[in-house]
Amino acid sequence: MFGLVPFVSHNELAKDENVFDRLMNVFDEPFMQGFHMPEFKVDVKDNGESYELTAELPGLKKEDISLTYDHNYLTIATQNEQSRDEQDEKGNYVRRERSQSSMSRSFYIDNIDEAQATADYKDGVLSVHLPKLAKAAEAGHTITINGVA
């Protein structure tokens, strides 16, 4: 029989007195319990004439980050690949590990001047400056009447 079995970490197994019963009762538990999607922290501040967005992206290089603005959505996407090879004197692998991660967050921010938007990345913090468009003149206005009273 083929089926999906929920992932249970070693720490969760250690909590239970009877490990065998815990493993046999996998169907009584939510699937993928304890699984969390990677995410990063973002602050968005309205300064009146602009928005300031700050994202914490520690451990990434500038080349690993993509910043796009399309249809009033600002999207921050990251792609990170790492590999670590350890070999003995003969060149045989003792250990070889590879990991890949990606994260993405989107924010609806309208009424900004795309041409004037800027971004800086320093010490693991992405700072994005998004100036607002100049306010359009309000529709309708009072017309002054000239002439003799």
Side-chain angles (χ1 to χ4, degrees):
M1 178 177 147
F2 177 78
L4 297 174
V5 178
F7 173 77
V8 178
S9 72
H10 178 69
N11 291 338
E12 290 174 357
L13 289 175
K15 292 181 211 173
D16 293 330
E17 294 174 7
N18 190 340
V19 175
F20 181 76
D21 287 343
R22 170 101 167 139
L23 289 173
M24 291 299 120
N25 291 325
V26 294
F27 297 107
D28 293 336
E29 299 185 19
F31 185 69
M32 301 286 283
Q33 178 179 349
F35 178 75
H36 300 286
M37 291 296 293
E39 62 179 43
F40 48 91
K41 307 294 184 228
V42 178
D43 297 327
V44 180
K45 183 178 179 183
D46 186 349
N47 292 329
E49 294 183 13
S50 67
Y51 294 104
E52 293 292 329
L53 184 136
T54 306
E56 297 175 8
L57 301 167
L60 295 175
K61 295 179 278 190
K62 183 179 96 170
E63 298 78 28
D64 297 335
I65 303 168
S66 169
L67 187 62
T68 58
Y69 185 76
D70 189 29
H71 293 90
N72 296 330
Y73 281 93
L74 178 70
T75 301
I76 304 170
T78 67
Q79 183 73 27
N80 186 17
E81 295 182 23
Q82 297 178 356
S83 71
R84 182 176 178 177
D85 293 339
E86 293 181 12
Q87 300 177 359
D88 62 9
E89 299 83 32
K90 297 178 183 178
N92 296 324
Y93 291 111
V94 174
R95 183 172 107 187
R96 188 172 193 190
E97 294 183 358
R98 292 164 299 285
S99 67
Q100 180 176 349
S101 65
S102 62
M103 298 180 284
S104 177
R105 303 248 346 240
S106 293
F107 304 90
Y108 181 81
I109 305 176
D110 64 349
N111 196 33
I112 68 166
D113 187 356
E114 296 177 53
Q116 301 299 319
T118 60
D120 294 310
Y121 184 66
K122 182 178 179 184
D123 298 330
V125 177
L126 176 68
S127 301
V128 184
H129 178 76
L130 304 165
K132 293 181 181 179
L133 290 171
K135 289 186 178 180
E138 293 184 24
H141 60 280
T142 304
I143 301 172
T144 306
I145 302 172
N146 297 322
V148 181

